[in-house]
Coordinates of all heavy atoms in Angstrom, one line a residue:
M986 N 98.5 106.5 82.7 CA 97.3 106.1 83.4 C 97.4 106.6 84.8 O 98.4 106.3 85.5 CB 97.0 104.6 83.3 CG 96.0 104.2 84.2 SD 95.3 102.6 83.9 CE 96.6 101.4 84.2
Q987 N 96.4 107.2 85.3 CA 96.4 107.7 86.7 C 96.0 106.6 87.6 O 95.0 105.8 87.3 CB 95.5 108.9 86.9 CG 96.1 110.1 86.3 CD 95.3 111.3 86.7 OE1 94.1 111.2 87.1 NE2 95.9 112.5 86.6
A988 N 96.6 106.4 88.8 CA 96.1 105.5 89.8 C 94.9 106.1 90.4 O 94.7 107.3 90.5 CB 97.2 105.3 90.9
T989 N 94.0 105.2 90.8 CA 92.7 105.7 91.4 C 92.5 105.1 92.7 O 93.0 104.0 93.0 CB 91.5 105.3 90.5 OG1 91.5 103.9 90.3 CG2 91.6 106.0 89.1
L990 N 91.7 105.8 93.5 CA 91.4 105.3 94.9 C 90.2 104.4 94.7 O 89.2 104.8 94.2 CB 91.0 106.6 95.7 CG 90.8 106.3 97.2 CD1 92.1 105.8 97.9 CD2 90.4 107.6 97.9
V991 N 90.3 103.2 95.2 CA 89.3 102.2 95.1 C 88.4 102.3 96.3 O 88.9 102.3 97.4 CB 89.9 100.8 95.0 CG1 88.8 99.7 94.9 CG2 90.8 100.7 93.8
G992 N 87.1 102.4 96.1 CA 86.2 102.7 97.2 C 86.5 103.9 97.9 O 86.7 105.0 97.2
R993 N 86.7 103.9 99.2 CA 87.1 105.1 99.9 C 88.2 104.8 100.8 O 88.5 105.4 101.8 CB 85.9 105.6 100.7 CG 84.8 106.1 99.9 CD 84.5 107.5 100.2 NE 83.5 108.0 99.3 CZ 83.5 109.2 98.7 NH1 84.5 110.0 99.0 NH2 82.6 109.6 98.0
Q994 N 89.0 103.7 100.5 CA 90.1 103.3 101.4 C 91.3 104.2 101.1 O 91.5 104.6 100.0 CB 90.5 101.8 101.0 CG 89.5 100.8 101.4 CD 90.0 99.4 101.0 OE1 90.7 99.3 100.0 NE2 89.6 98.4 101.7
Q995 N 92.0 104.4 102.2 CA 93.2 105.2 102.1 C 94.3 104.3 101.6 O 94.4 103.1 101.9 CB 93.7 105.7 103.5 CG 92.7 106.8 104.0 CD 92.8 108.1 103.3 OE1 93.8 108.6 103.1 NE2 91.6 108.5 102.8
V996 N 95.2 104.8 100.8 CA 96.3 104.0 100.2 C 97.6 104.4 100.9 O 97.8 105.6 101.1 CB 96.4 104.3 98.7 CG1 97.6 103.6 98.1 CG2 95.2 103.8 98.0
G997 N 98.3 103.4 101.4 CA 99.6 103.7 102.1 C 100.7 104.0 101.1 O 100.6 103.7 99.9
K998 N 101.9 104.4 101.6 CA 103.0 104.8 100.8 C 103.5 103.6 100.0 O 103.8 103.7 98.8 CB 104.2 105.3 101.7 CG 105.4 105.6 100.8 CD 106.6 105.8 101.7 CE 107.8 106.1 100.8 NZ 108.3 105.0 100.0
R999 N 103.7 102.4 100.7 CA 104.2 101.2 99.9 C 103.3 100.8 98.8 O 103.8 100.5 97.7 CB 104.4 100.1 100.9 CG 105.5 100.3 101.9 CD 106.2 99.0 102.2 NE 107.1 99.1 103.3 CZ 108.3 99.5 103.2 NH1 108.8 99.8 102.0 NH2 109.1 99.6 104.2
Q1000 N 102.0 100.8 99.0 CA 101.1 100.4 97.9 C 101.1 101.5 96.8 O 101.2 101.1 95.6 CB 99.7 100.3 98.4 CG 98.7 99.8 97.4 CD 97.3 99.5 97.9 OE1 97.0 99.8 99.1 NE2 96.5 98.9 97.1
L1001 N 101.1 102.7 97.1 CA 101.2 103.8 96.1 C 102.5 103.7 95.4 O 102.6 103.9 94.1 CB 101.0 105.2 96.8 CG 100.8 106.4 95.9 CD1 99.7 106.2 94.9 CD2 100.6 107.6 96.7
E1002 N 103.6 103.5 96.1 CA 104.9 103.4 95.5 C 104.9 102.2 94.5 O 105.5 102.3 93.4 CB 106.0 103.2 96.6 CG 107.4 103.1 96.1 CD 108.3 103.1 97.3 OE1 108.2 102.3 98.2 OE2 109.2 104.0 97.3
T1003 N 104.4 101.1 94.9 CA 104.3 99.9 94.0 C 103.6 100.2 92.7 O 104.0 99.9 91.6 CB 103.7 98.7 94.7 OG1 104.5 98.4 95.8 CG2 103.6 97.5 93.8
W1004 N 102.4 100.9 92.8 CA 101.6 101.3 91.7 C 102.3 102.2 90.7 O 102.3 102.0 89.5 CB 100.3 101.9 92.1 CG 99.3 101.1 92.7 CD1 99.3 99.7 92.8 CD2 98.1 101.5 93.4 NE1 98.2 99.3 93.4 CE2 97.4 100.4 93.8 CE3 97.6 102.8 93.6 CZ2 96.2 100.4 94.5 CZ3 96.4 102.8 94.3 CH2 95.7 101.7 94.7
L1005 N 102.9 103.2 91.3 CA 103.5 104.3 90.5 C 104.9 104.2 90.1 O 105.3 104.6 89.0 CB 103.2 105.7 91.2 CG 101.8 106.0 91.4 CD1 101.7 107.3 92.2 CD2 101.0 106.1 90.1
V1006 N 105.7 103.6 91.0 CA 107.2 103.5 90.7 C 107.5 102.0 90.2 O 108.4 101.8 89.5 CB 108.0 103.8 91.9 CG1 109.5 103.7 91.7 CG2 107.7 105.3 92.4
G1007 N 106.7 101.1 90.7 CA 106.9 99.7 90.3 C 107.9 98.9 91.0 O 108.2 97.8 90.7
R1008 N 108.5 99.5 92.1 CA 109.4 98.7 92.9 C 109.0 98.8 94.4 O 109.1 99.8 95.0 CB 110.8 99.3 92.8 CG 111.4 99.3 91.4 CD 112.8 99.8 91.4 NE 113.0 100.9 92.3 CZ 114.1 101.5 92.4 NH1 115.1 101.3 91.6 NH2 114.3 102.5 93.3
H1009 N 108.5 97.7 94.8 CA 108.0 97.7 96.2 C 109.2 97.9 97.2 O 110.2 97.2 97.0 CB 107.3 96.4 96.5 CG 106.8 96.3 97.9 ND1 105.7 97.0 98.3 CD2 107.2 95.5 99.0 CE1 105.5 96.7 99.6 NE2 106.4 95.9 100.0
G1010 N 109.1 98.8 98.1 CA 110.1 99.0 99.1 C 111.3 99.9 98.6 O 112.2 100.1 99.3
A1011 N 111.2 100.4 97.4 CA 112.2 101.3 96.9 C 112.4 102.5 97.9 O 111.3 103.1 98.3 CB 112.0 101.8 95.5
R1012 N 113.6 103.0 98.2 CA 113.7 104.1 99.1 C 114.2 105.3 98.4 O 114.7 106.2 99.0 CB 114.7 103.7 100.2 CG 114.3 102.6 101.1 CD 112.9 102.9 101.8 NE 112.9 104.2 102.4 CZ 111.8 104.8 102.8 NH1 110.6 104.3 102.5 NH2 111.9 106.0 103.3
D1013 N 114.0 105.4 97.2 CA 114.4 106.6 96.4 C 113.3 107.6 96.5 O 112.3 107.6 95.8 CB 114.6 106.2 94.9 CG 115.2 107.4 94.1 OD1 115.1 108.5 94.6 OD2 115.6 107.1 93.0
S1014 N 113.4 108.5 97.5 CA 112.4 109.5 97.8 C 112.0 110.4 96.6 O 110.9 110.6 96.4 CB 112.8 110.3 99.0 OG 112.9 109.5 100.2
E1015 N 113.0 110.9 96.0 CA 112.8 111.8 94.9 C 112.0 111.1 93.8 O 111.0 111.7 93.3 CB 114.1 112.3 94.3 CG 114.9 113.2 95.1 CD 116.2 113.6 94.5 OE1 116.2 114.3 93.5 OE2 117.2 113.1 95.0
R1016 N 112.4 109.9 93.4 CA 111.6 109.2 92.4 C 110.2 108.9 92.8 O 109.3 109.1 92.0 CB 112.4 107.8 92.1 CG 111.8 107.1 91.0 CD 112.6 105.8 90.8 NE 112.0 105.1 89.7 CZ 112.7 104.3 88.9 NH1 114.0 104.1 89.0 NH2 112.1 103.7 87.9
F1017 N 110.0 108.5 94.0 CA 108.6 108.2 94.5 C 107.8 109.5 94.5 O 106.7 109.5 94.0 CB 108.7 107.6 95.9 CG 107.3 107.6 96.6 CD1 106.4 106.6 96.1 CD2 107.0 108.4 97.6 CE1 105.1 106.6 96.7 CE2 105.7 108.3 98.2 CZ 104.8 107.4 97.7
V1018 N 108.3 110.6 95.1 CA 107.5 111.8 95.2 C 107.2 112.3 93.8 O 106.1 112.7 93.5 CB 108.3 112.9 96.0 CG1 107.7 114.3 95.8 CG2 108.3 112.5 97.5
M1019 N 108.1 112.3 92.9 CA 107.9 112.7 91.5 C 106.8 111.8 90.8 O 106.0 112.4 90.1 CB 109.2 112.8 90.7 CG 110.1 113.9 91.1 SD 109.4 115.5 91.1 CE 109.1 115.7 89.3
A1020 N 106.8 110.6 91.0 CA 105.8 109.7 90.4 C 104.4 110.0 90.9 O 103.5 110.1 90.2 CB 106.2 108.2 90.7
V1021 N 104.3 110.3 92.3 CA 103.0 110.6 92.8 C 102.6 112.0 92.3 O 101.4 112.1 91.9 CB 103.1 110.7 94.4 CG1 101.7 111.2 94.9 CG2 103.4 109.3 94.9
L1022 N 103.5 113.0 92.2 CA 103.1 114.3 91.7 C 102.7 114.2 90.2 O 101.7 114.8 89.8 CB 104.3 115.3 91.9 CG 104.5 115.7 93.3 CD1 105.8 116.5 93.4 CD2 103.3 116.4 93.9
R1023 N 103.4 113.4 89.4 CA 103.0 113.2 88.0 C 101.6 112.6 87.9 O 100.9 112.8 86.9 CB 104.0 112.4 87.3 CG 105.3 113.1 87.0 CD 106.3 112.4 86.1 NE 107.5 113.1 86.0 CZ 108.6 112.7 86.5 NH1 108.8 111.6 87.1 NH2 109.7 113.5 86.3
D1024 N 101.3 111.7 88.8 CA 99.9 111.1 88.8 C 98.9 112.1 89.2 O 97.8 112.1 88.7 CB 99.9 109.9 89.8 CG 98.6 109.2 89.7 OD1 98.3 108.6 88.6 OD2 97.8 109.2 90.6
M1025 N 99.2 113.1 90.1 CA 98.3 114.1 90.6 C 98.1 115.2 89.6 O 97.0 115.8 89.5 CB 98.7 114.6 91.9 CG 98.6 113.6 93.1 SD 99.4 114.2 94.6 CE 98.6 115.7 94.9
Y1026 N 99.2 115.6 89.0 CA 99.2 116.9 88.2 C 99.6 116.5 86.7 O 100.7 116.0 86.5 CB 100.1 117.9 88.7 CG 99.8 118.3 90.1 CD1 100.6 118.0 91.2 CD2 98.6 119.1 90.4 CE1 100.3 118.3 92.5 CE2 98.3 119.4 91.7 CZ 99.1 119.1 92.7 OH 98.8 119.4 94.0
P1027 N 98.8 116.9 85.7 CA 99.2 116.7 84.3 C 100.2 117.6 83.8 O 100.8 117.3 82.7 CB 97.8 116.8 83.6 CG 97.1 117.8 84.5 CD 97.5 117.5 85.9
D1028 N 100.4 118.7 84.4 CA 101.3 119.8 83.9 C 102.6 119.9 84.8 O 102.5 120.0 86.0 CB 100.5 121.1 83.9 CG 101.2 122.2 83.2 OD1 102.4 122.5 83.5 OD2 100.6 122.8 82.3
D1029 N 103.7 120.0 84.2 CA 105.0 120.1 84.9 C 105.0 121.4 85.7 O 105.6 121.5 86.8 CB 106.2 120.1 84.0 CG 106.5 118.7 83.4 OD1 105.9 117.7 84.0 OD2 107.3 118.6 82.5
R1030 N 104.3 122.5 85.2 CA 104.3 123.7 86.0 C 103.6 123.5 87.3 O 104.0 124.1 88.3 CB 103.6 124.8 85.2 CG 104.5 125.3 84.0 CD 103.7 126.3 83.2 NE 102.7 125.5 82.5 CZ 101.9 125.9 81.6 NH1 102.0 127.2 81.2 NH2 101.0 125.2 81.0
E1031 N 102.6 122.7 87.4 CA 101.9 122.5 88.6 C 102.8 121.7 89.6 O 102.8 121.9 90.8 CB 100.6 121.7 88.4 CG 99.5 122.5 87.6 CD 98.3 121.7 87.3 OE1 97.5 121.4 88.3 OE2 98.1 121.3 86.2
I1032 N 103.5 120.7 89.0 CA 104.5 120.0 89.9 C 105.5 120.9 90.4 O 105.8 120.8 91.6 CB 105.1 118.8 89.0 CG1 104.0 117.8 88.7 CG2 106.3 118.2 89.8 CD1 104.5 116.8 87.7
L1033 N 106.1 121.8 89.6 CA 107.1 122.7 90.1 C 106.5 123.6 91.2 O 107.2 123.9 92.2 CB 107.7 123.5 89.0 CG 108.6 122.7 88.0 CD1 109.0 123.6 86.8 CD2 109.8 122.3 88.8
R1034 N 105.3 124.1 91.0 CA 104.6 124.9 92.0 C 104.5 124.2 93.3 O 104.8 124.7 94.4 CB 103.3 125.4 91.5 CG 102.5 126.3 92.5 CD 101.1 126.7 92.0 NE 100.3 125.6 91.5 CZ 99.7 124.6 92.3 NH1 99.9 124.7 93.6 NH2 99.0 123.7 91.8
W1035 N 104.1 122.9 93.2 CA 103.9 122.1 94.4 C 105.2 122.0 95.2 O 105.3 122.1 96.4 CB 103.3 120.7 94.1 CG 102.9 119.9 95.3 CD1 101.7 119.8 95.8 CD2 103.7 119.1 96.1 NE1 101.6 119.0 96.9 CE2 102.9 118.6 97.1 CE3 105.1 118.8 96.1 CZ2 103.4 117.7 98.1 CZ3 105.6 118.0 97.1 CH2 104.7 117.4 98.1
L1036 N 106.3 121.7 94.4 CA 107.6 121.5 95.0 C 108.2 122.8 95.6 O 108.9 122.7 96.6 CB 108.6 120.9 94.0 CG 108.4 119.5 93.5 CD1 109.2 119.2 92.3 CD2 108.7 118.5 94.7
N1037 N 107.9 123.9 95.0 CA 108.5 125.2 95.5 C 107.6 126.0 96.4 O 108.1 127.0 96.9 CB 108.8 126.0 94.2 CG 110.0 125.4 93.5 OD1 111.0 125.0 94.0 ND2 109.8 125.2 92.2
E1038 N 106.4 125.6 96.7 CA 105.5 126.3 97.6 C 106.0 126.2 99.0 O 106.4 125.1 99.5 CB 104.1 125.7 97.6 CG 103.2 126.2 96.6 CD 101.8 125.6 96.7 OE1 101.6 124.7 97.4 OE2 100.9 126.2 96.1
S1039 N 106.0 127.3 99.8 CA 106.3 127.3 101.2 C 105.1 126.6 101.9 O 103.9 126.9 101.6 CB 106.4 128.7 101.7 OG 106.5 128.8 103.1
R1040 N 105.4 125.7 102.7 CA 104.3 124.8 103.3 C 104.3 124.9 104.9 O 105.4 124.6 105.5 CB 104.5 123.4 102.9 CG 104.4 123.2 101.4 CD 104.4 121.8 101.0 NE 104.0 121.7 99.7 CZ 102.7 121.7 99.2 NH1 101.7 121.7 100.1 NH2 102.5 121.6 97.9
P1041 N 103.2 125.3 105.4 CA 103.1 125.4 106.9 C 103.4 124.1 107.6 O 104.1 124.1 108.6 CB 101.7 125.9 107.2 CG 101.1 126.3 105.9 CD 102.0 125.7 104.8
E1042 N 103.0 123.0 107.0 CA 103.2 121.7 107.6 C 104.7 121.3 107.6 O 105.0 120.3 108.2 CB 102.3 120.6 107.0 CG 102.5 120.4 105.5 CD 101.6 121.2 104.6 OE1 101.6 122.5 104.7 OE2 100.8 120.6 103.9
L1043 N 105.5 122.0 106.8 CA 106.9 121.7 106.8 C 107.7 122.9 107.5 O 108.8 123.1 107.2 CB 107.4 121.6 105.4 CG 106.8 120.4 104.6 CD1 107.2 120.5 103.1 CD2 107.1 119.1 105.2
G1044 N 107.0 123.6 108.4 CA 107.6 124.7 109.1 C 108.0 125.9 108.1 O 108.9 126.6 108.4
G1045 N 107.2 126.0 107.1 CA 107.4 127.1 106.1 C 108.4 126.8 105.0 O 108.6 127.6 104.1
D1046 N 109.1 125.6 105.1 CA 110.0 125.2 104.0 C 109.2 124.7 102.8 O 108.0 124.4 102.9 CB 110.9 124.1 104.6 CG 111.9 124.6 105.6 OD1 112.3 125.7 105.5 OD2 112.2 123.8 106.5
C1047 N 109.9 124.6 101.7 CA 109.3 124.0 100.5 C 109.8 122.6 100.4 O 110.9 122.2 100.9 CB 109.6 124.8 99.3 SG 111.3 124.8 98.7
A1048 N 109.0 121.7 99.7 CA 109.3 120.3 99.6 C 110.6 120.1 98.8 O 111.4 119.2 99.2 CB 108.2 119.6 98.9
R1049 N 110.9 120.9 97.8 CA 112.1 120.7 97.0 C 113.4 120.8 97.8 O 114.3 120.0 97.6 CB 112.1 121.8 95.9 CG 113.3 121.7 95.0 CD 113.4 122.8 93.9 NE 113.3 124.1 94.5 CZ 114.3 124.8 95.1 NH1 115.5 124.2 95.2 NH2 114.1 126.0 95.6
T1050 N 113.4 121.7 98.8 CA 114.7 121.8 99.5 C 114.9 120.7 100.5 O 116.0 120.4 101.0 CB 114.7 123.2 100.3 OG1 113.6 123.3 101.2 CG2 114.8 124.4 99.3
L1051 N 113.8 120.1 100.9 CA 113.8 119.0 102.0 C 113.9 117.6 101.4 O 114.3 116.7 102.1 CB 112.6 119.1 102.9 CG 112.4 120.4 103.6 CD1 111.2 120.3 104.5 CD2 113.6 120.7 104.5
L1052 N 113.6 117.5 100.1 CA 113.5 116.2 99.5 C 114.8 115.4 99.5 O 114.8 114.1 99.5 CB 113.0 116.3 98.0 CG 112.5 115.1 97.3 CD1 111.4 114.4 98.2 CD2 111.9 115.4 96.0
T1053 N 115.9 116.1 99.5 CA 117.2 115.4 99.5 C 117.9 115.4 100.8 O 119.1 115.2 100.9 CB 118.2 116.0 98.4 OG1 118.3 117.4 98.6 CG2 117.6 115.7 97.0
T1054 N 117.2 115.7 101.9 CA 117.7 115.7 103.2 C 117.1 114.6 104.0 O 116.3 113.8 103.6 CB 117.3 117.1 103.9 OG1 115.9 117.1 104.2 CG2 117.7 118.3 103.0
E1055 N 117.5 114.6 105.3 CA 117.0 113.6 106.2 C 115.5 113.7 106.5 O 114.9 112.9 107.1 CB 117.8 113.6 107.6 CG 117.6 114.8 108.4 CD 118.5 116.0 107.9 OE1 119.4 115.8 107.1 OE2 118.3 117.1 108.4
R1056 N 114.9 114.8 106.0 CA 113.5 115.1 106.2 C 112.7 114.6 105.0 O 111.5 114.9 104.9 CB 113.2 116.6 106.4 CG 113.8 117.0 107.8 CD 113.6 118.5 108.1 NE 112.1 118.8 108.1 CZ 111.7 120.0 108.1 NH1 112.5 121.1 108.0 NH2 110.4 120.2 108.1
A1057 N 113.3 113.9 104.1 CA 112.6 113.4 102.9 C 111.3 112.6 103.2 O 110.3 112.7 102.5 CB 113.5 112.6 102.0
S1058 N 111.4 111.8 104.3 CA 110.2 111.0 104.7 C 109.0 111.9 104.9 O 107.8 111.5 104.7 CB 110.5 110.1 105.8 OG 110.8 110.9 107.0
E1059 N 109.2 113.2 105.4 CA 108.1 114.1 105.6 C 107.4 114.5 104.3 O 106.2 114.6 104.2 CB 108.6 115.4 106.3 CG 109.1 115.2 107.7 CD 109.6 116.5 108.3 OE1 108.8 117.5 108.3 OE2 110.7 116.5 108.7
I1060 N 108.2 114.6 103.2 CA 107.7 114.9 101.9 C 106.9 113.7 101.4 O 105.8 113.9 100.8 CB 108.8 115.3 100.9 CG1 109.7 116.4 101.5 CG2 108.2 115.8 99.6 CD1 109.1 117.6 102.1
E1061 N 107.5 112.5 101.6 CA 106.7 111.3 101.2 C 105.4 111.3 101.8 O 104.4 111.0 101.2 CB 107.6 110.1 101.5 CG 108.8 109.9 100.7 CD 109.7 108.8 101.2 OE1 109.3 108.1 102.2 OE2 110.7 108.5 100.5
S1062 N 105.3 111.5 103.2 CA 104.1 111.4 103.9 C 103.1 112.5 103.4 O 101.9 112.2 103.2 CB 104.3 111.6 105.4 OG 105.1 110.6 105.9
L1063 N 103.6 113.7 103.2 CA 102.8 114.8 102.7 C 102.2 114.5 101.3 O 101.0 114.6 101.1 CB 103.6 116.1 102.6 CG 102.9 117.3 102.1 CD1 101.7 117.7 102.9 CD2 103.9 118.5 102.0
V1064 N 103.0 114.0 100.4 CA 102.4 113.7 99.1 C 101.4 112.5 99.1 O 100.4 112.5 98.4 CB 103.6 113.5 98.1 CG1 104.2 112.1 98.2 CG2 103.1 113.8 96.7
V1065 N 101.7 111.5 100.0 CA 100.7 110.4 100.1 C 99.4 111.0 100.7 O 98.3 110.6 100.2 CB 101.3 109.3 101.0 CG1 100.2 108.3 101.4 CG2 102.4 108.6 100.3
R1066 N 99.4 111.8 101.7 CA 98.2 112.4 102.3 C 97.4 113.2 101.2 O 96.2 113.1 101.1 CB 98.5 113.3 103.4 CG 98.7 112.6 104.7 CD 98.7 113.6 105.9 NE 99.5 114.8 105.8 CZ 100.8 114.9 106.1 NH1 101.4 113.8 106.6 NH2 101.4 116.0 106.0
E1067 N 98.2 114.0 100.4 CA 97.5 114.8 99.4 C 96.9 113.9 98.3 O 95.9 114.2 97.8 CB 98.5 115.8 98.8 CG 98.7 116.9 99.9 CD 99.4 118.1 99.3 OE1 99.5 118.3 98.1 OE2 99.9 119.0 100.1
W1068 N 97.7 112.8 97.9 CA 97.1 111.9 96.9 C 95.9 111.3 97.4 O 94.9 111.2 96.6 CB 98.2 110.9 96.6 CG 97.8 110.0 95.4 CD1 98.1 110.3 94.1 CD2 97.1 108.8 95.4 NE1 97.6 109.3 93.3 CE2 97.0 108.4 94.1 CE3 96.5 108.1 96.4 CZ2 96.3 107.2 93.7 CZ3 95.8 106.9 96.1 CH2 95.7 106.5 94.7
N1069 N 95.8 110.8 98.7 CA 94.7 110.2 99.2 C 93.5 111.2 99.4 O 92.3 110.8 99.3 CB 95.0 109.6 100.6 CG 95.6 108.2 100.4 OD1 95.0 107.3 99.8 ND2 96.7 108.0 101.1
G1070 N 93.8 112.5 99.5 CA 92.8 113.5 99.8 C 92.1 114.0 98.5 O 91.2 114.8 98.6
R1071 N 92.6 113.6 97.4 CA 92.0 114.2 96.2 C 90.8 113.5 95.7 O 90.4 112.5 96.1 CB 93.0 114.3 95.0 CG 93.6 112.9 94.7 CD 94.7 113.0 93.6 NE 95.0 111.7 93.3 CZ 94.8 111.1 92.2 NH1 94.4 111.7 91.2 NH2 95.1 109.8 92.0

């Protein structure tokens, strides 16, 4: 079941994490990002494309390479913005 945006309110990371991962406050960035991507994209190929795309907002880096670094919070923020924007 996909999470849905109620009304036109923006959903924050903690609320989205609770809906999709089920653990409020969990700091496992990879798990969170993958849960959001699975909610956004029905196909694993689309998820891989999202993770491997060079992104200007990440200085040309791809999300996959940054997800396990100190920059993981940037990926979390990006995926939350994109989830809210759909």
